Amino acid sequence: LEPMEGVLVMLYTHFDDSIPIKERPRYVTKSNKDGEFTLSNLMQRDYKIFALKDENSNYLFDQISEKIAFTQDTILPSDLTEPSSDTLSKKPHEGITLRLFQKEDKSLRLADYNRGQPRALSFGFSRKPVGNVEIVPFNASFDTSKVWYEVERNIKGDSLVYWLLDDELKNNDTLQVTATYQRTDSLMNLYQTTDTLRMFYQKESSKRSGRGDKNQEDTEEKKPTLAIKTSPTGSILPHQSLSLSFNMPIKAIDTTLIALKNTTDSVSISSFSIAKDTLKPTQYHIKHSWENNTGYALTVLPNAFTNLDGATNDTLIHSFKGADPERYGKIVLDITGTTPDVILDLVDSKDNVIDRKITEEDGKIEFSYIKPGTYKLRFIVDENRNGKWDTGNYLKGVQPERVIIYEEKDTQEIQVKANWEYEISYNLKQ
């Protein structure tokens, strides 16, 4: 919903669906810094209007990277204003709002691949792969009857890491693999293809002394230590997970060496759970109903975790505390007009989504434990009910899903203060 400067606004006297693709406009202007535009000296007739972020300066909508805006309505002679000598008082036509969007790139291909560490074969795709991606090494011997890899995925699903469980594969510096997957052709049809890839890992050169013979300590390989990163630090929200992150998947875990204690009451806690992340095998989550203003200590004794290389952890003691609700604010939103589904985003001053709710009906929605700061409330009218914002498609006549920013007293900003509760009523139909 930000104004766009320097965008072409174009009028056509023909009405074919493909007109902005194959023909240059009859009239054209550019938007100013406020996103406003004026087209003058027009003949009294019907027009079709478009906006175009023209990447190659040819006045045609002919690149996937170009953004377009359109309306199904025809500009009628009655929509045009009469000429006037007082041109400075003229305002742009307030009834025309063009929402610029970029069509989703549906092409599917293998964009990049690398081997950042001996056990990790990484593959990046232009979008989430359709169906399975089959990776098969063919220049190394390994036990094919056993599972030899574990897959890690990012949230979007377009990045895959195949972690090598087999030591023979890991120790081979150069692996040749076949990657079989679905990709699209020039007509955007899916077909199965197989690429042959060379996955090379460059070992780090060993550090050696410049003089004298190496001593016994130099020749002996030190046992690797498994580092554990914990998140969050400091305070934790009531239903937030305490995450443990590792540099590679874990081969074995001994839960008897993991203890959680309520340090405020000096009570050991047995009602916590620990589980592997569903997308990242390099991450585990400890879940518990954390109490406000209560101290906790997680103790992980040596050998609790063993990774694929046999590295084990040292003693870890992580102290943290249940959040103090008086240090946070709360927004209670009474929303109406939620047809169809509505996605509610609480975003910060940099447009990062802090919290997201999805509602199918009118009623109250609560955003709690908000850190003091400046926020906005964003509503996405989820027409297809897929839980995310979808862009438009000009040739199919589909507009991008509508986005609304909550505004009151000419400002979109909501100043959240500690220990404050904000009650907001909002009707999306108004």
Side-chain angles (χ1 to χ4, degrees):
L1 298 179
E2 297 293 331
M4 294 290 291
E5 182 179 7
V7 176
L8 299 181
V9 181
M10 313 181 297
L11 288 183
Y12 293 83
T13 55
H14 297 143
F15 298 86
D16 298 341
D17 288 341
S18 60
I19 195 69
I21 299 173
K22 64 182 183 181
E23 188 175 310
R24 290 179 174 84
R26 181 70 178 271
Y27 298 93
V28 66
T29 187
K30 283 188 176 181
S31 59
N32 63 19
K33 61 182 177 64
D34 296 317
E36 299 172 342
F37 58 89
T38 301
L39 288 151
S40 56
N41 299 319
L42 305 179
M43 295 178 61
Q44 291 285 329
R45 61 178 299 170
D46 295 352
Y47 294 100
K48 192 73 173 176
I49 190 168
F50 295 90
L52 178 67
K53 187 67 173 175
D54 192 12
E55 298 293 342
N56 55 357
S57 302
N58 67 350
Y59 296 89
L60 296 174
F61 177 46
D62 59 355
Q63 291 190 353
I64 189 68
S65 60
E66 292 180 331
K67 296 180 180 179
I68 192 171
F70 69 98
T71 174
Q72 302 289 4
D73 298 330
T74 300
I75 305 298
L76 303 174
S78 59
D79 295 319
L80 307 181
T81 57
E82 292 294 330
S84 171
S85 58
D86 186 15
T87 56
L88 293 178
S89 66
K90 289 291 183 181
K91 293 183 179 180
H93 193 292
E94 297 179 354
I96 301 175
T97 300
L98 299 172
R99 294 187 292 150
L100 204 66
F101 66 89
Q102 183 176 347
K103 178 185 174 184
E104 182 181 0
D105 186 359
K106 291 287 188 178
S107 63
L108 177 56
R109 65 189 183 281
L110 178 63
D112 62 77
Y113 60 93
N114 66 80
R115 190 179 180 189
Q117 56 175 292
R119 289 194 183 272
L121 307 182
S122 301
F123 303 89
F125 292 84
S126 57
R127 63 181 175 92
K128 183 179 179 179
V130 176
N132 295 326
V133 177
E134 185 178 358
I135 306 297
V136 180
F138 63 86
N139 71 324
S141 59
F142 62 100
D143 190 350
T144 57
S145 65
K146 295 182 180 179
V147 177
W148 59 271
Y149 67 85
E150 188 169 11
V151 180
E152 177 178 333
R153 295 174 172 85
N154 64 349
I155 294 177
K156 292 176 61 178
D158 58 0
S159 178
L160 305 177
V161 179
Y162 284 72
W163 289 99
L164 303 178
L165 307 181
D166 187 275
D167 290 339
E168 291 295 327
L169 293 175
K170 173 251 183 179
N171 293 329
N172 193 322
D173 293 341
T174 304
L175 283 177
Q176 287 183 297
V177 303
T178 57
T180 303
Y181 60 97
Q182 297 278 335
R183 68 169 299 166
T184 51
D185 58 20
S186 58
L187 298 177
M188 304 305 292
N189 296 315
L190 286 168
Y191 69 97
Q192 183 169 289
T193 187
T194 299
D195 295 337
T196 300
L197 310 173
R198 185 173 179 266
M199 312 287 286
F200 178 71
Y201 173 71
Q202 178 68 51
K203 288 183 178 180
E204 295 182 2
S205 58
S206 59
K207 297 180 181 180
R208 295 191 177 184
S209 175
R211 58 183 180 177
D213 295 330
K214 294 184 294 180
N215 57 33
Q216 185 67 21
E217 184 179 355
D218 291 329
T219 59
E220 289 181 357
E221 184 177 351
K222 293 183 178 180
K223 183 180 178 181
T225 301
L226 178 60
I228 305 176
K229 294 182 179 179
T230 56
S231 177
T233 58
S235 62
I236 192 168
L237 302 182
H239 300 292
Q240 192 175 13
S241 297
L242 178 65
S243 298
L244 308 179
S245 300
F246 306 90
N247 66 339
M248 69 174 64
I250 297 301
K251 179 172 61 176
I253 176 173
D254 187 346
T255 56
T256 64
L257 300 177
I258 303 172
L260 183 64
K261 186 176 181 180
N262 178 328
T263 57
T264 299
D265 299 330
S266 297
V267 176
S268 295
I269 299 173
S270 59
S271 59
F272 70 93
S273 64
I274 180 167
K276 185 191 298 185
D277 189 271
T278 55
L279 294 177
K280 293 186 175 183
T282 57
Q283 194 170 78
Y284 282 74
H285 300 289
I286 294 177
K287 295 184 179 181
H288 179 67
S289 295
W290 315 106
E291 298 178 15
N292 293 328
N293 297 311
T294 301
Y296 296 93
L298 175 72
T299 302
V300 182
L301 297 177
N303 304 316
F305 294 96
T306 305
N307 72 6
L308 297 176
D309 283 345
T312 58
N313 61 283
D314 289 334
T315 298
L316 167 70
I317 300 177
H318 176 63
S319 298
F320 56 102
K321 192 174 183 179
D324 179 0
E326 295 187 358
R327 293 179 176 268
Y328 298 86
K330 178 190 293 186
I331 295 176
V332 179
L333 177 66
D334 190 359
I335 183 174
T336 55
T338 54
T339 304
D341 293 1
V342 173
I343 302 169
L344 296 84
D345 285 339
L346 179 69
V347 298
D348 63 14
S349 58
K350 296 182 179 179
D351 284 337
N352 298 312
V353 177
I354 304 302
D355 198 359
R356 167 168 286 187
K357 312 283 187 182
I358 299 178
T359 181
E360 300 177 2
E361 57 187 16
D362 296 351
K364 291 189 176 182
I365 303 294
E366 183 177 297
F367 293 97
S368 57
Y369 290 94
I370 307 171
K371 292 181 179 180
T374 303
Y375 298 89
K376 295 180 183 179
L377 280 173
R378 182 173 66 196
F379 305 86
I380 300 172
V381 182
D382 192 12
E383 297 285 353
N384 58 2
R385 299 185 173 182
N386 65 349
K388 65 183 183 72
W389 177 84
D390 290 288
T391 187
N393 187 316
Y394 167 65
L395 289 178
K396 293 184 178 180
V398 177
Q399 293 281 356
E401 289 184 328
R402 196 158 51 96
V403 177
I404 302 167
I405 305 294
Y406 171 77
E407 186 172 329
E408 185 178 16
K409 297 180 180 179
D410 297 326
T411 181
Q412 297 177 346
E413 295 183 348
I414 301 174
Q415 298 292 336
V416 174
K417 299 179 181 179
N419 203 28
W420 279 53
E421 180 175 311
Y422 303 81
E423 294 186 358
I424 297 174
S425 297
Y426 194 66
N427 187 345
L428 286 171
K429 300 301 183 183
Q430 293 180 351

